[in-house]
Amino acid sequence: MEQINNASNVVFVLLGAIMVLAMHAGFAFLELGTVRKKNQVNALVKILTDFCVSAIAYFFIGYTIAYGANFFSSADVLAQKNGYEMVKFFFLLTFAAAIPAIISGGIAERARFHPQSIATFLLVGFVYPFFEGIAWNDNFGIQPWIEAAFGAKFHDFAGSVVVHAVGGWIALPAVLLLGARRGRYTKDGNVAAHPPSNIPFLALGAWILTVGWFGFNVMSAQTMDKVSGLVALNSLMAMVGGTLAAMILGKNDPGFIHNGPLAGLVAVCAGSDLMHPIGALITGCVAGALFVRLFTITQNRWKIDDVLGVWPLHGLCGAWGGIAAGIFGSQALGGLGGVSVVAQVIGTAGGIVIALAGGTLVYGLLKTIVGIRLDPEEEFEGADLTIHKITATPDHETHW
């Protein structure tokens, strides 16, 4: 029976890892469809390359920082329990690699390629696992302290804060240090619109992310005996709420509508195992509205050129999700209980502080030492030709 249980858990977590791995295609196509045509190839290449760099950083450094485990034992030791610890690493790697995938959308169209790869290594190797270990492995005794002081640990079932808020708040200093795309904001205060280059690809990316998210959330149980259909239904309701809120407030704009489900799913991650489905629906509605309002404000009023709106989508909706888990996870509002709003606020604030500090340090150093932005001429030509020497749809064949 033990071997059957181990094998079942391996298959369960492996399916989750595969589904979240597929989400990275969603990140790629969401960015591809949003950026201008001259930067589409760069969007695709960045996501794949960043995933591979993340795998190296997390395998050799990050996983050890977060969980105190490493892979330097012999293969027969690693294969114990049907290799469950291996697929668990694979699953958690796909979460870690979401950090640079999130950042990629904010810094699109003007970031240099290799400095971003260095940033990916540093963030996934050191910054992300530092907070991951605090939240999910009780590192440094912070979680036990929160539990003793406020009656419950900081609860983040599937990463509203650990993954999404951290990724979004790391992206904010990166976007600010890069500066806006050239020509985006004029000296007289006008805003030059850069509409999405391909709505079908944008929609495809959103759908891939949405489907994969059910592996992201449900398989966060990590063992078969802990799986819960409540997580699946809560994810569904938050997705619906986020979409409808974005549709109404976004006035049928397809960009907002296809980011709406993502906003809802970001927010429900933390409390998806605790909330009543109605609480999840409200959480998603608030997240969808939050994204539309703050995306508009950051772009038009604050003049922050966050291309895909990753700070409002992941940073703010993720932070809302961390707090919402404490609100709608309470028994008074139909949840399963065992959460504290104060603990959720403290944990969420801690993730934001670490993300801001880590993002500012990494991108600030890279900007000072090697530079992180394309030259004006390179940016004008586009990252596709400048970096990859080919466009997404070449107009003619090359004759050697």
Side-chain angles (χ1 to χ4, degrees):
M1 280 301 296
E2 183 179 357
Q3 187 173 4
I4 292 173
N5 286 337
N6 288 336
S8 298
N9 289 335
V10 166
V11 173
F12 176 68
V13 178
L14 178 61
L15 289 174
I18 292 169
M19 291 180 73
V20 184
L21 175 62
M23 289 176 70
H24 288 265
F27 281 118
F29 278 94
L30 186 71
E31 183 175 336
L32 182 158
T34 304
V35 299
R36 289 170 290 180
K37 289 183 178 180
K38 61 183 179 180
N39 297 298
Q40 290 179 329
V41 172
N42 184 244
L44 295 172
V45 175
K46 271 193 303 179
I47 300 299
L48 179 57
T49 303
D50 280 344
F51 184 90
C52 296
V53 172
S54 298
I56 297 298
Y58 200 61
F59 183 87
F60 286 103
I61 303 171
Y63 196 69
T64 302
I65 290 175
Y67 300 103
N70 62 64
F71 304 99
F72 301 116
S73 303
S74 61
D76 62 324
V77 174
L78 299 179
Q80 291 177 0
K81 296 182 180 180
N82 296 82
Y84 172 76
E85 293 299 325
M86 303 300 96
V87 295
K88 179 182 176 182
F89 163 79
F90 181 14
F91 182 66
L92 291 171
L93 164 64
T94 59
F95 280 53
I99 298 297
I102 290 167
I103 296 167
S104 177
I107 64 175
E109 301 203 280
R110 75 275 202 202
R112 293 178 61 201
F113 188 79
H114 292 302
Q116 174 55 23
S117 295
I118 296 170
T120 293
F121 186 90
L122 295 173
L123 293 168
V124 177
F126 298 97
V127 178
Y128 167 77
F130 179 76
F131 183 69
E132 179 189 17
I134 291 173
W136 286 345
N137 198 47
D138 293 355
N139 289 0
F140 308 112
I142 295 174
Q143 283 280 43
W145 172 78
I146 292 175
E147 184 177 24
F150 305 105
K153 292 181 178 180
F154 167 64
H155 183 87
D156 190 356
F157 180 69
S160 285
V161 178
V162 175
V163 178
H164 297 286
V166 166
W169 285 90
I170 288 175
L172 181 60
V175 169
L176 294 175
L177 286 167
L178 267 174
R181 289 168 289 177
R182 298 185 189 280
R184 180 78 168 102
Y185 304 113
T186 63
K187 293 181 179 180
D188 57 5
N190 292 326
V191 179
H194 294 321
S197 62
N198 194 309
I199 293 296
F201 275 147
L202 186 158
L204 175 64
W207 271 109
I208 294 171
L209 284 165
T210 297
V211 172
W213 224 297
F214 287 86
F216 195 100
N217 284 1
V218 175
M219 273 72 165
S220 285
Q222 297 190 19
T223 55
M224 288 283 285
D225 62 306
K226 295 178 182 176
V227 68
S228 172
L230 181 65
V231 177
L233 183 56
N234 282 342
S235 300
L236 178 68
M237 296 304 285
M239 180 204 86
V240 170
T243 305
L244 294 177
M247 177 195 69
I248 294 169
L249 292 179
K251 300 178 181 178
N252 299 326
D253 180 277
F256 284 138
I257 290 173
H258 285 95
N259 276 280
L262 310 184
L265 286 162
V266 164
V268 82
C269 287
S272 57
D273 62 326
L274 300 176
M275 296 179 180
H276 187 279
I278 296 176
L281 178 64
I282 296 170
T283 298
C285 286
V286 172
L290 186 65
F291 171 70
V292 173
R293 290 301 189 205
L294 267 296
F295 178 87
T296 304
I297 290 171
T298 55
Q299 296 283 334
N300 298 336
R301 185 182 303 171
W302 296 343
K303 304 293 192 297
I304 298 174
D305 193 15
D306 179 353
V307 181
L308 268 68
V310 298
W311 177 63
L313 180 63
H314 297 275
L316 295 180
C317 291
W320 156 242
I323 297 169
I327 298 171
F328 296 106
S330 65
Q331 290 182 327
L333 293 177
L336 297 180
V339 286
S340 161
V341 174
V342 177
Q344 293 305 113
V345 171
I346 291 173
T348 300
I352 291 172
V353 169
I354 290 170
L356 280 173
T360 302
L361 178 63
V362 168
Y363 284 100
L365 286 174
L366 286 172
K367 181 177 181 178
T368 301
I369 297 170
V370 298
I372 56 177
R373 181 161 181 154
L374 293 173
D375 294 335
E377 185 175 346
E378 294 174 331
E379 187 179 337
F380 177 79
E381 288 292 329
D384 291 359
L385 285 175
T386 297
I387 298 172
H388 310 290
K389 313 305 180 187
I390 192 169
T391 62
T393 53
D395 295 326
H396 58 82
E397 295 183 8
T398 300
H399 299 287
W400 299 100

